[in-house]
Amino acid sequence: MVFSFLDHTALCRAARVCRQWRAASAHEDFWKCLNFEDRNISVEQFEDMCRRYPNATEVNISGASIHLLVMKAVSSLRNLEVLTLGRGQLGDTFFNALSDCYLLKRLNVNDANLGNSIQEIPINHDSLRHLQLTKCRVMRISVRCPQLETMSLKRSNMAQAVLNCPLLHELDISSCHKLSDAAIRSAATSCPQLESLDMSNCSCVSDETLREIAVTCANLHILNASYCPNISLESVRLPMLTKLQLHSCEGITSASMAAISHSYMLEVLELDNCSLLTSVSLDLPRLQNIRLVHCRKFADLNLRSIMLSSIMVSNCPVLQRINITSNSLQKLALQKQESLTTLALQCQTLQEVDLTDCESLTDTICEVFSDGGGCPMLKSLVLDNCESLTAVQFCSTSLVSLSLVGCRAITALNLTCPYLEQVCLDGCDHLERASFCPVGLQSLNLGICPKLNVLSIKAPCMVLLELKGCGVLSEASINCPLLTSLDASFCSQLKDDCLSATTASCPLIESLILMSCPSIGSDGLYALRCLLHLTVLDLSYTFLMTLQPVFESCLQLKVLKLQACKYLADSSLEPLYKEGALPALQELDLSYGTLCQSAIEELLAFCTHLTHVSLNGCVNMHDLNWGCSGGGQISELPSIYSSSSMLSPENIHEPIEQANRLLQNLNCVGCPNIRKVFIPPAARCFHLSSLNLSLSSNLKEVDLACFNLCFLNLSNCCSLEMLKLECPKLTSLFLQSCNIDVAAVEAAISKCSMLETLDVRFCPKICSMSMGRLRVACPSLKRIFSSLSPS
């Protein structure tokens, strides 16, 4: 059983192991097929193999000595059923002795010279079923095999083939260039049971031959007459034909369709490269598959077949009209038909259509794919790069996916498709008016349509809407009750009334980004009180004078981004902390603003629930001094609480409780006026894990006592002179390009018992010779990056 999985080469290797394996590998069940193709074997060796395995049923040999070898096989192997020969000379004696192989069922001869003279080669056998003479050289051949079922003479150069095979049902004479029209006619008509005929590349075949074949071979189902330039199918009637291949037939024209229309059983029709074909009009009830590729004059296609399931039309440059009726077609691809202008479909089961690069299609195509247009089950429609479309309107209760990528001429889009889930508008950069009422979209990106000025959306399932970059959008009606995220960044024409209407119809918005929306004022922001679930609000680059209406209503706001809001008043941030207006706020970004330091520090002092704060590029920030108060004592809150503003009568009632800060990340990158950072234990920043002060060029002193700080970045703080750290969990310290000396660094890291990474590259006062001192000061260091190389 194990050896049964081995090929002959492996069996021979196994035989060399031991006597037992040799006996097992020589079992005759493994040698029913003697395959010596591409192997150099002598007559004596082959004779020995035949003697060892007289019950072999299959032999495969090739090479110059095939005649001698096959004669040994014919005389020795009485159970031979399959004989495969190739690349050699087969003499007359072989064909005369062939009848002695009574059990022979299949004879395959490839690339061989047949016979010793110019005489006719006879192949006579009473039980042969399959005969294949491929690429053989012989003048004439005569075949008398009463049981023969299939025969191939492909690429053989015989001039005459006489067949007496009454049961033959498959004949392949393709590329037999020397067979005359009369010889082909005689061979085919002598086989009345013929069902499949391949005569491709037989250039002399005529319509007369086809007519006689049609009369004699009434059961012909498959015909391949490709590359036969002389046939036009004039008066040819093949009613039982199921597959017809006519590739590159120069005589096939529109008139030939009359003959094809009589093949009522036809299922497959291939007409590739028929250069004179101008139109196809067929009504065939069983037609399932049709191919029309590279038909350069083809202009009109009219098909009617309830079973049509596959259409391949490609590279037909003048194709203008297509009319298809089918109850089985599910997918239609008509890509790169540049001249196509008219498309009519009555396809009840059609689900997918791809009309990419059909640049002549006009707006009338919308009627075809709307309700009542003939495609009631259409789900996916691709109209990419159809550059003649200008006003697209679809009303479909079945459409799920629509792609209009690269349709640059579209200015108006109207979709009434309640189940539409996906729409692609990349490259529709001239779209001005868009309506999606109603649609089943869950998300929509219109930021790629910079000229959009009027928008209407009714989408019950939509949760994400991107309008970022719609700079001229002035009218927007958005009715999306489940919408949770809206990005309207850079919508400079969007006004208060639009924002008010949107918040009223979309009460579940959690994330609202209005970056650089200068037309939004206090009235629009006041409408945000409807958004009880708002968690992210981005008003960056929006020129606002006050934010109080927003903060008084957004109780669930968690993320607030106010980057570069240069016109915010210092009092604008008071609603963030007064009277607990924003109890859920966790992330605040005030980067690149002009708020004064006292306003920012007052905010940070009260909002102990903040976890992420960004103050990058704040030019009015001078110090982060969260410990020292007047008199040199540590207050319960940062120093700002002892300022005159905080001690004023108006603020006496403010609750000042000592609570642990939840701050985890603090970013003050590029704050040019910060000179000192002091965060002592009294600041209660027990959760602070990341502090980034890089690029603060005037920073001189850093004094930190943060027990959970893991990451500290002071890179490019070129004025840094003093560094004190009591950060037992600090693992990464970056000091690139700092003008600090090695002694200060050594003292700072000595209290950082978990420090693993230290970066002192480009520090002019720290040389490579100092690396040892730093390792001694902090034994936990694993990586030190210096100007030379990491160590």
Side-chain angles (χ1 to χ4, degrees):
M1 185 184 298
V2 174
F3 279 23
S4 67
F5 292 95
L6 304 181
D7 59 19
H8 287 171
T9 302
L11 284 170
C12 291
R13 290 171 180 159
R16 300 168 64 182
V17 174
C18 62
R19 290 193 181 99
Q20 185 182 16
W21 281 37
R22 181 177 182 180
S25 64
H27 196 282
E28 67 175 6
D29 286 349
F30 303 148
W31 298 91
K32 292 291 186 181
C33 174
L34 303 181
N35 187 355
F36 299 105
E37 184 180 11
D38 298 324
R39 293 186 179 277
N40 188 14
I41 182 172
S42 66
V43 176
E44 292 76 14
Q45 290 173 322
F46 184 76
E47 187 175 8
D48 181 58
M49 292 295 293
C50 293
R51 191 163 44 250
R52 287 189 195 181
Y53 306 106
N55 293 322
T57 59
E58 183 175 348
V59 170
N60 187 345
I61 50 180
S62 61
S65 58
I66 59 170
H67 179 76
L68 297 176
L69 298 178
V70 74
M71 292 306 295
K72 290 293 182 181
V74 169
S75 61
S76 305
L77 305 177
R78 294 302 177 183
N79 295 321
L80 202 58
E81 296 180 2
V82 179
L83 188 56
T84 301
L85 311 170
R87 294 194 300 277
Q89 176 81 34
L90 288 174
D92 297 341
T93 54
F94 163 70
F95 295 101
N96 293 330
L98 196 61
S99 58
D100 294 337
C101 297
Y102 304 108
L103 300 179
L104 189 66
K105 297 293 188 296
R106 183 183 294 272
L107 174 61
N108 301 324
V109 183
N110 179 53
D111 194 14
N113 296 316
L114 308 184
N116 299 326
S117 62
I118 62 173
Q119 297 180 353
E120 183 177 88
I121 296 298
I123 300 179
N124 303 322
H125 201 285
D126 292 335
S127 60
L128 193 66
R129 296 285 195 277
H130 307 283
L131 174 62
Q132 181 175 315
L133 304 177
T134 305
K135 203 178 177 181
C136 291
R137 293 164 289 280
V138 60
M139 290 297 295
R140 293 184 297 276
I141 189 171
S142 172
V143 181
R144 189 198 64 79
C145 299
Q147 300 297 321
L148 195 65
E149 297 175 359
T150 67
M151 180 167 63
S152 174
L153 304 176
K154 186 175 182 178
R155 299 180 66 187
S156 296
N157 67 348
M158 63 198 69
Q160 185 73 31
V162 179
L163 307 183
N164 185 1
C165 309
L167 299 182
L168 189 69
H169 60 75
E170 183 177 328
L171 176 61
D172 185 352
I173 53 175
S174 59
S175 300
C176 292
H177 300 294
K178 290 190 176 181
L179 280 178
S180 65
D181 184 38
I184 294 173
R185 186 186 318 158
S186 174
T189 54
S190 64
C191 306
Q193 301 299 320
L194 204 60
E195 296 179 1
S196 175
L197 174 60
D198 187 343
M199 54 169 57
S200 58
N201 270 299
C202 294
S203 56
C204 57
V205 176
S206 64
D207 284 336
E208 182 180 355
T209 294
L210 288 179
R211 284 192 289 269
E212 290 202 24
I213 292 174
V215 173
T216 306
C217 305
N219 293 319
L220 191 65
H221 296 319
I222 300 174
L223 175 62
N224 188 348
S226 300
Y227 302 97
C228 296
N230 296 326
I231 64 171
S232 64
L233 300 183
E234 182 182 354
S235 302
V236 176
R237 301 291 183 266
L238 295 164
M240 300 302 293
L241 209 60
T242 60
K243 182 176 182 179
L244 177 59
Q245 294 171 280
L246 298 171
H247 296 194
S248 301
C249 292
E250 298 176 3
I252 296 298
T253 64
S254 301
S256 306
M257 298 303 108
I260 295 177
S261 64
H262 287 86
S263 299
Y264 305 109
M265 307 294 289
L266 194 63
E267 298 176 358
V268 178
L269 177 60
E270 298 180 5
L271 299 168
D272 296 1
N273 291 292
C274 291
S275 57
L276 299 181
L277 185 63
T278 58
S279 65
V280 171
S281 181
L282 294 171
D283 185 352
L284 297 171
R286 294 179 178 269
L287 187 64
Q288 299 176 20
N289 188 316
I290 186 170
R291 281 179 56 95
L292 290 154
V293 179
H294 291 291
C295 298
R296 63 175 183 268
K297 294 186 177 181
F298 184 58
D300 197 345
L301 175 62
N302 191 335
L303 294 176
R304 184 180 181 88
S305 173
I306 59 174
M307 298 184 66
L308 187 65
S309 59
S310 176
I311 298 177
M312 180 60 183
V313 178
S314 177
N315 292 298
C316 298
V318 299
L319 179 60
Q320 298 179 5
R321 295 171 295 278
I322 295 179
N323 190 333
I324 299 172
T325 301
S326 169
N327 289 339
S328 301
L329 189 64
Q330 295 187 1
K331 185 174 182 179
L332 177 62
L334 299 170
Q335 300 173 350
K336 295 186 178 180
Q337 302 304 317
E338 294 89 348
S339 301
L340 184 63
T341 57
T342 304
L343 179 62
L345 300 175
Q346 290 296 325
C347 303
Q348 302 303 308
T349 60
L350 188 62
Q351 297 185 20
E352 300 179 31
V353 175
D354 189 346
L355 297 171
T356 300
D357 294 315
C358 294
E359 55 189 35
S360 297
L361 284 176
T362 61
D363 297 337
T364 57
I365 194 67
C366 300
E367 300 175 4
V368 177
F369 300 116
S370 293
D371 289 343
C375 304
M377 296 182 64
L378 185 67
K379 297 183 181 300
S380 174
L381 176 59
V382 179
L383 293 170
D384 294 351
N385 300 316
C386 294
E387 297 185 355
S388 295
L389 297 178
T390 57
V392 174
Q393 180 174 356
F394 290 108
C395 179
S396 171
T397 55
S398 64
L399 195 62
V400 174
S401 175
L402 173 64
S403 180
L404 297 168
V405 174
C407 296
R408 303 186 183 280
I410 292 181
T411 58
L413 177 64
N414 191 335
L415 300 180
T416 305
C417 306
Y419 297 102
L420 186 66
E421 297 178 359
Q422 182 178 2
V423 60
C424 297
L425 301 173
D426 294 6
C428 296
D429 45 20
H430 288 81
L431 184 63
E432 298 176 359
R433 305 175 65 87
S435 173
F436 303 85
C437 299
V439 292
L441 295 170
Q442 294 188 12
S443 63
L444 179 62
N445 183 5
L446 293 173
I448 49 183
C449 305
K451 295 187 178 181
L452 185 67
N453 58 63
V454 178
L455 173 64
S456 178
I457 300 178
K458 183 179 180 181
C461 300
M462 185 173 292
V463 296
L464 175 65
L465 178 59
E466 292 271 354
L467 300 175
K468 186 175 183 179
C470 296
V472 296
L473 182 63
S474 57
E475 297 181 30
S477 174
I478 302 173
N479 186 358
C480 305
L482 299 182
L483 191 68
T484 60
S485 177
L486 173 61
D487 187 348
S489 302
F490 306 105
C491 293
S492 56
Q493 304 298 318
L494 211 58
K495 295 183 172 57
D496 290 343
D497 55 347
C498 176
L499 183 58
S500 301
T502 299
T503 55
S505 59
C506 308
L508 300 182
I509 291 180
E510 298 177 0
S511 174
L512 178 61
I513 301 177
L514 300 172
M515 182 186 301
S516 190
C517 294
S519 298
I520 296 294
S522 57
D523 292 342
L525 293 174
Y526 185 73
L528 300 186
R529 68 188 187 280
C530 302
L531 305 179
L532 300 180
H533 299 275
L534 187 65
T535 60
V536 179
L537 179 60
D538 189 343
L539 300 170
S540 307
Y541 306 99
T542 300
F543 305 145
L544 304 173
M545 299 306 295
T546 178
L547 293 175
Q548 187 166 353
V550 186
F551 301 146
E552 288 177 347
S553 58
C554 301
L555 299 180
Q556 301 298 320
L557 189 65
K558 293 181 180 178
V559 179
L560 177 61
K561 297 183 179 181
L562 301 170
Q563 303 105 309
C565 290
K566 298 183 179 181
Y567 295 94
L568 280 177
D570 291 341
S571 60
S572 298
L573 297 182
E574 291 183 1
L576 280 172
Y577 50 87
K578 285 189 175 181
E579 300 179 1
L582 292 174
L585 187 65
Q586 296 178 1
E587 183 175 342
L588 176 64
D589 192 341
L590 299 173
S591 299
Y592 309 106
T594 56
L595 291 172
C596 70
Q597 177 160 337
S598 60
I600 295 175
E601 289 185 337
E602 186 175 346
L603 165 67
L604 298 180
F606 273 93
C607 295
T608 58
H609 48 275
L610 284 171
T611 60
H612 294 70
V613 175
S614 294
L615 302 171
N616 304 324
C618 290
V619 295
N620 291 331
M621 286 293 296
H622 299 289
D623 290 316
L624 287 177
N625 188 348
W626 290 4
C628 294
S629 62
Q633 297 184 359
I634 304 298
S635 67
E636 293 182 348
L637 290 171
S639 59
I640 50 134
Y641 294 102
S642 59
S643 66
S644 58
S645 63
M646 288 300 299
L647 295 177
S648 62
E650 293 80 11
N651 294 324
I652 290 296
H653 67 277
E654 292 291 336
I656 303 180
E657 298 181 358
Q658 186 173 3
N660 292 340
R661 295 175 178 273
L662 300 180
L663 187 64
Q664 299 174 14
N665 293 77
L666 177 60
N667 297 312
C668 297
V669 177
C671 295
N673 296 317
I674 289 183
R675 293 176 174 82
K676 181 178 181 180
V677 175
F678 179 41
I679 305 179
R684 308 187 69 82
C685 295
F686 298 134
H687 297 277
L688 185 63
S689 61
S690 176
L691 177 59
N692 192 345
L693 299 165
S694 60
L695 296 169
S696 297
S697 56
N698 292 310
L699 181 62
K700 293 185 176 183
E701 299 180 27
V702 174
D703 188 348
L704 304 176
C706 302
F707 301 112
N708 284 301
L709 189 67
C710 299
F711 177 90
L712 176 59
N713 191 351
L714 298 170
S715 297
N716 293 287
C717 295
C718 53
S719 300
L720 186 65
E721 297 175 354
M722 189 187 77
L723 178 62
K724 293 182 180 181
L725 299 177
E726 290 187 23
C727 305
K729 293 187 178 181
L730 188 67
T731 59
S732 300
L733 175 59
F734 294 87
L735 298 169
Q736 282 190 44
S737 303
C738 290
N739 196 31
I740 191 171
D741 58 37
V742 66
V745 176
E746 185 178 0
I749 66 175
S750 63
K751 295 183 180 181
C752 302
S753 57
M754 299 182 66
L755 188 63
E756 297 179 353
T757 302
L758 176 62
D759 191 343
V760 291
R761 285 177 290 183
F762 312 113
C763 294
K765 295 182 179 181
I766 300 178
C767 63
S768 59
M769 301 299 292
S770 305
M771 297 301 106
R773 293 176 57 184
L774 297 177
R775 288 190 179 278
V776 171
C778 185
S780 62
L781 273 174
K782 295 180 179 179
R783 293 175 295 274
I784 300 180
F785 295 91
S786 64
S787 298
L788 296 177
S789 62
S791 62

